[in-house]
Amino acid sequence: MSGNTFGKLFSVTTFGESHGPAIGCVIDGCPPGLALTEADIQPELDRRKPGTSRHVTQRQESDTVEILSGVYQGVTTGTPIALLIRNEDQRSKDYGNIAESFRPGHADYTYWHKYGVRDPRGGGRSSARLTAPVVGAAAIAKKWLQQQYGTVFKGCMSQLGDIAVPFQDWSHVPNNPFFAASGDADLIARMEAAMDALRKDGDSIGARIEVVAQNIPVGLGQPIYDKLDADIAYAMMGINAVKGVEIGAGFKSVEQKGSEHGDQLTPQGFIGNNAGGVLGGISTGQDITVSIAIKPTSSIRTPRQSIDKDGNPVMVETFGRHDPCVGIRATPIAEAMLALVLMDHALMHRAQCGDVKVHTPDIAL
Amino acid sequence: MSGNTFGKLFSVTTFGESHGPAIGCVIDGCPPGLALTEADIQPELDRRKPGTSRHVTQRQESDTVEILSGVYQGVTTGTPIALLIRNEDQRSKDYGNIAESFRPGHADYTYWHKYGVRDPRGGGRSSARLTAPVVGAAAIAKKWLQQQYGTVFKGCMSQLGDIAVPFQDWSHVPNNPFFAASGDADLIARMEAAMDALRKDGDSIGARIEVVAQNIPVGLGQPIYDKLDADIAYAMMGINAVKGVEIGAGFKSVEQKGSEHGDQLTPQGFIGNNAGGVLGGISTGQDITVSIAIKPTSSIRTPRQSIDKDGNPVMVETFGRHDPCVGIRATPIAEAMLALVLMDHALMHRAQCGDVKVHTPDIAL
Amino acid sequence: MSGNTFGKLFSVTTFGESHGPAIGCVIDGCPPGLALTEADIQPELDRRKPGTSRHVTQRQESDTVEILSGVYQGVTTGTPIALLIRNEDQRSKDYGNIAESFRPGHADYTYWHKYGVRDPRGGGRSSARLTAPVVGAAAIAKKWLQQQYGTVFKGCMSQLGDIAVPFQDWSHVPNNPFFAASGDADLIARMEAAMDALRKDGDSIGARIEVVAQNIPVGLGQPIYDKLDADIAYAMMGINAVKGVEIGAGFKSVEQKGSEHGDQLTPQGFIGNNAGGVLGGISTGQDITVSIAIKPTSSIRTPRQSIDKDGNPVMVETFGRHDPCVGIRATPIAEAMLALVLMDHALMHRAQCGDVKVHTPDIAL
Amino acid sequence: MSGNTFGKLFSVTTFGESHGPAIGCVIDGCPPGLALTEADIQPELDRRKPGTSRHVTQRQESDTVEILSGVYQGVTTGTPIALLIRNEDQRSKDYGNIAESFRPGHADYTYWHKYGVRDPRGGGRSSARLTAPVVGAAAIAKKWLQQQYGTVFKGCMSQLGDIAVPFQDWSHVPNNPFFAASGDADLIARMEAAMDALRKDGDSIGARIEVVAQNIPVGLGQPIYDKLDADIAYAMMGINAVKGVEIGAGFKSVEQKGSEHGDQLTPQGFIGNNAGGVLGGISTGQDITVSIAIKPTSSIRTPRQSIDKDGNPVMVETFGRHDPCVGIRATPIAEAMLALVLMDHALMHRAQCGDVKVHTPDIAL
């Protein structure tokens, strides 16, 4: 209810603050009988963890996950799975200077007014660090969905500031520091140069991320409010710094005509995927395609106008270690959120229609 | 759980199909003591009802609402408020021809595969007609929020296909058939001509809608998943035909630098509103600004390729009465969804922090 | 959230007041493909409706149910099923005299203090009349469970005031006005005499009701909080006038030793059923046995001390039409609540473990 | 959803198994600004922890609680509070012998059939050990309720097997090993002797526990399903080994007449409390009185008939360390569950009616 649980049937309740003793989550609703060890989860955490290149925060965290419950002899038992990640690199002094004032673009002002008290250390609860437990939980969902339906998740950065990153092939994603699906060395070099210049200027930049889910059954999603695309929009907009979400054709659909937008069907499958894999809130079996806008990091060294708790004008510059583009590490996070949404809907569909009715499309797609 | 209830504390559960005997909803969680009669609800229903101009469906529905419970002597009692709207103009034959095949862009294919059975009359449950009960419920939320905080909701169309509709003034909205915030007669004439051409061609077009909430308290929203903007994205993407949602700067934030995006604070208030009134998932007290993309109507007369239930190729053309641009009537619907989200968060905030802590911004905005 | 929805996956949201225009409910989560018409629901409503003998309220209500949605061509579609029951016999004047004071044992005092406003007509929302929509919804659950697992529900009165009603056979239940599972004519006569005396005295009496569910799968229920027996206790205590709930041996287990209470297992099945069909919150496949205590009707003609809204002492006597023993009509209601709990858990089990894993006991029971 | 979260607005999600690395919970929805340290929680954990007398299990656990999040500088921040308790005394071998068979009265059989896999170590998730995190969470609820309304919780054992324990005074409860509200030394001696005999016989016994909440506001509770007493019944029946729940007069109300049961009101307050502090599901402001039946411990040394996973007959005797009467330690647990229910309803009431409307009774009680 209070907003720290994601999902209804595959429910992930997270806890922790950026610089508290630990962060983690409790996953309730994981089906029993799934083979699971930390080794299934750690690789996903490593994809999003800080310090992997000079273009992201240099905070050093191993993000080592410990499974505290819900698994016996390497198999899930159907009881809650608790994941614990101890915080290792807490340099609170880096943040001390913002305890009394509000950083532009940050949650400082709103937390202060909502709660009348806040944990300012590293942004406390509002830190992007809190995406780690979610990525851990999603690793479990990904494994279950993969085994059940062969579902796979892919993501990449399609734009960095004003630099477009044309899609070439998914295979390129792990081979550059930006999750770019491109093998264009010059392009990557331009992105590196742009990031170096930003860091030098003490500024930051936004990005656009694309995520795709492939091989999912037809029929996942609810008709009216808990539409599959509505829950995806909720999940994506819930990621730190996201300001926009598109499904399929997204905003391009504004200028499309019905004769152009509506994906025609043939015995060989759908022609096109303007729908992004969702019609009437329910999956078509096509790829689910999502695009999100990530705002530039709010923590920058450039001095900015703000006020303190007493309303007096102050200048704020944020030192410490920050991602000059939070969009870079957003790719595995966006994949994770998409996986959690599909997992929840897969279980909900079983409740309503029984698993025998969960099937793959009966027409080629 | 099954997706037909919107909201956690101000919960609206809708029911009904486009051509069934009736549609309606049950509103659970409305605070007691609110003066309420059908006269508070009907005007909002009239704003979205069909047949108000030649540019929308000609289906004739009075959309007369009846309050069945929850109100005694003109005041809400705190018990569930049931709203009933009888369907009057059911011309099922208009739709008979699509019972055995799947209309491109429609929920026909997904409903059929999810449920193995569907009500094809007018799209059944997937019809935009089902937004009527939501608009009715939102009228109650709007009244409560207005009395409690002075909150007001505004909406307009900012783009019709490739025709941009520059914002001039809210006062123009009721004075044209498009909810355009413009007094430019030539522009309106161009929009009318475009719509007439589309109708003649048996085609349809998309649109972009903007909605704004003004005068809301600081502190509404939850930090992690039930972020105010996440719930807004969920609500908007849940509206029929919506394919994209933006808060504040939206996708423009991709190309912004942190020094540009982050709204600075001064004793006189925020400078700019790239945040769209939400920081860290919690309201800042600034206007909440939302922009959505509506796809073109899928029901068009233009013949299109499809398949029947047996997978055989067929050509489908949709006769009957349809909005050539569902975006036109989407404005009051988007306002309604925004109102429901804020109402739910206002009650949630009272639960967490008590109503004495709900306050308006302590700096000018 | 606000307490007017029962169940998580088979969710029944009720609305209405005793003397408002109508009562009803919306059922969300009913699996698609179930053959359903009003004829499946009306018989259950008729079992609980008033006016069936001189021993219950003489209010005349046909309790005719109308299905407003969720069914197409006699089959459920998976969308919400709305049930509407119009109130026909509203004699508000019968209740006018209690609008300004609080009837002992009634919700008048608490509603007034909680909401600051209430609908006094016939007890408004707190009337036992609001059990009608639940019984209607449960008729659907009963049909689905019967088809899926062969589950059947039975109930009877086991005690009327100080008159014990020894169980003889379920077949007797419909043959007397008390839902007694007894063919003892003298006993029934004594019960009739006791009721006649009470009515003459303007007083009322309590009762004990037993309900049983037979043929349910092993494995329904959640381990910790949403235990099957916990949800049953919640459901039963939620019925008007219920003050106590027992599962299996109930309070007798206080004096039992472990060597006596724990039902031993053999290849031929369990020996005994002190567990009442639930171990660790999960169904064993044995009969689920529940016993509840119903307090005497609070609406009696006997004058009683009370206060008015201003705190002044008044004497209150309740005229109008009341059940001298609300326990009589509680039997079908208790069956209904038990059916709703099992339905919800059956769907939840499918979500978690898939329907292929739902099985009947592998040992004789 | 999957049954491991208790409460809707003050939500406690527990995790862990009896012999896993750790147990704990995440509390979401605690209001901000509450002074809180481990010292507020540990005393409640110590009241229920094992090894405090020879009459309870000799398992040695310090049950030391660690707060992992949600508290900054000794004050709650409104974000999730995670509590962690490491398991220290895991003697799994004690339980090895039951891994392949089902102990009568235990969850072994149902877990096995529901999940197809289980953690047999000490009963895994079904162990009463899992009540520890709940007691920890309830300590926070108790503190908040005490500060907000002066609410206090009391509990005692009123019957041990066939030994009735007449209530004398709450002050006696901490002065004997049974939570008896009695200063009768002979009675305590008889209880000690009975327990010693049981232990010698390798058997166990049931008990009856009473819990009371005092000083709560009028108006807590929902009218129809989430009645205060329904949620109390749900909470109590969810405690391990509970088989019956009574509110107020409970089963005695079966033989009462309406003229006797309904508590009359006077300007000086209610006369009597057959209602147990709840009318129509809403608190009256009187003491909330609850009585529960606890079955005898199922883990006994006495050999009993059972079957193994293959359905073959086996004899089972449970060695290891067990409470000969789980009812003894149930008193602080029952208080805790009652506190969690009231906390949740207090927050819900604020959401609906605002905290200004939460008031103490306006008549003496």
Side-chain angles (χ1 to χ4, degrees), chain C residues 89-285:
Chain C
D89 184 6
Q90 308 154 30
R91 303 231 300 265
S92 292
K93 60 178 159 33
D94 294 348
Y95 301 91
N97 61 324
I98 54 99
E100 296 307 309
S101 58
F102 307 118
R103 295 165 296 172
H106 263 288
D108 304 343
Y109 180 82
T110 53
Y111 268 61
W112 175 251
H113 283 77
K114 181 181 186 67
Y115 298 113
V117 54
R118 66 186 172 102
D119 178 348
R121 301 167 302 166
R125 182 73 177 156
S126 66
S127 167
R129 174 147 185 75
L130 270 303
T131 57
V134 178
V135 167
I140 301 172
K142 282 182 170 184
K143 184 171 185 179
W144 190 86
L145 288 165
Q146 205 285 333
Q147 290 190 3
Q148 201 81 357
Y149 312 121
T151 307
V152 293
F153 296 87
K154 295 169 179 169
C156 65
M157 177 186 285
S158 60
Q159 189 175 346
L160 175 69
D162 57 4
I163 305 173
V165 186
F167 180 87
Q168 289 179 338
D169 190 87
W170 292 114
S171 63
H172 299 301
V173 173
N175 304 331
N176 63 77
F178 303 109
F179 294 87
S182 169
D184 179 339
D186 296 346
L187 175 63
I188 302 299
R190 271 172 46 226
M191 295 169 79
E192 302 239 28
M195 292 303 298
D196 291 338
L198 276 169
R199 205 165 52 254
K200 185 161 155 304
D201 299 345
D203 211 337
S204 62
I205 195 72
R208 179 190 276 262
I209 304 297
E210 318 287 330
V211 283
V212 175
Q214 301 177 320
N215 307 330
I216 62 159
V218 184
L220 303 189
Q222 301 302 325
I224 298 283
Y225 304 120
D226 297 344
K227 286 177 168 147
L228 185 57
D229 40 358
D231 280 352
I232 290 170
Y234 161 80
M236 296 298 162
M237 198 67 90
I239 298 173
N240 310 50
V242 171
K243 301 302 288 184
V245 181
E246 296 183 308
I247 307 287
F251 279 91
K252 278 189 299 297
S253 60
V254 169
E255 301 196 10
Q256 290 177 317
K257 289 187 174 176
S259 52
E260 170 190 5
H261 178 89
D263 306 312
Q264 299 183 77
L265 292 82
T266 76
Q268 291 68 45
F270 285 95
I271 302 174
N273 188 13
N274 283 302
V278 185
L279 285 174
I282 301 171
S283 62
T284 62

Side-chain angles (χ1 to χ4, degrees), chain D residues 28-81:
Chain D
D28 195 14
C30 183
L34 179 71
L36 186 73
T37 70
E38 281 87 351
D40 294 302
I41 301 169
Q42 197 62 55
E44 288 293 318
L45 286 170
D46 294 343
R47 286 180 70 210
R48 76 154 286 290
K49 81 177 178 186
T52 52
S53 85
R54 73 179 185 275
H55 305 299
V56 297
T57 171
Q58 294 309 297
R59 177 171 177 171
Q60 294 306 318
E61 292 285 353
S62 69
D63 282 353
T64 304
V65 65
E66 178 185 11
I67 297 176
L68 292 180
S69 65
V71 176
Y72 179 63
Q73 297 179 335
V75 175
T76 60
T77 60
T79 57
I81 300 168

Side-chain angles (χ1 to χ4, degrees), chain D residues 83-146:
Chain D
L83 303 182
L84 186 69
I85 300 169
R86 291 280 175 181
N87 289 324
E88 297 165 351
D89 183 6
Q90 308 155 28
R91 304 230 303 265
S92 292
K93 59 178 160 30
D94 294 348
Y95 301 90
N97 61 327
I98 54 97
E100 296 307 308
S101 58
F102 307 118
R103 295 166 297 172
H106 264 287
D108 305 341
Y109 180 81
T110 52
Y111 268 62
W112 176 252
H113 283 77
K114 181 181 185 68
Y115 298 113
V117 53
R118 66 185 172 104
D119 178 349
R121 301 168 303 166
R125 182 73 178 157
S126 67
S127 167
R129 175 149 185 74
L130 270 303
T131 58
V134 179
V135 167
I140 301 172
K142 282 181 170 184
K143 184 173 185 180
W144 189 85
L145 288 166
Q146 205 285 333

Side-chain angles (χ1 to χ4, degrees), chain D residues 144-223:
Chain D
W144 189 85
L145 288 166
Q146 205 285 333
Q147 289 190 5
Q148 201 80 358
Y149 312 121
T151 308
V152 292
F153 297 86
K154 296 170 180 168
C156 64
M157 176 186 285
S158 60
Q159 189 174 346
L160 175 68
D162 58 4
I163 305 174
V165 186
F167 180 88
Q168 289 178 339
D169 191 86
W170 293 114
S171 63
H172 299 300
V173 173
N175 304 329
N176 63 76
F178 304 109
F179 293 88
S182 168
D184 180 339
D186 297 345
L187 175 63
I188 302 299
R190 271 174 43 229
M191 295 169 80
E192 302 240 27
M195 292 304 298
D196 291 336
L198 276 169
R199 207 163 51 254
K200 186 163 156 303
D201 299 345
D203 211 338
S204 62
I205 195 72
R208 178 190 277 262
I209 304 297
E210 318 286 330
V211 283
V212 175
Q214 300 177 320
N215 306 330
I216 62 159
V218 183
L220 303 190
Q222 301 302 326

Side-chain angles (χ1 to χ4, degrees), chain B residues 233-301:
Chain B
Y234 161 81
M236 296 297 163
M237 198 66 89
I239 298 173
N240 310 51
V242 172
K243 300 302 289 182
V245 182
E246 295 182 309
I247 307 287
F251 280 90
K252 279 190 299 295
S253 59
V254 170
E255 302 196 10
Q256 290 177 319
K257 289 187 173 175
S259 52
E260 171 190 7
H261 178 90
D263 306 311
Q264 298 182 77
L265 292 82
T266 76
Q268 291 67 46
F270 285 95
I271 302 173
N273 189 12
N274 283 302
V278 185
L279 285 174
I282 301 170
S283 63
T284 63
Q286 297 173 279
D287 289 359
I288 291 176
T289 60
V290 184
S291 181
I292 60 176
I294 316 258
K295 74 179 186 181
T297 313
S298 299
S299 300
I300 54 178
R301 289 205 322 278

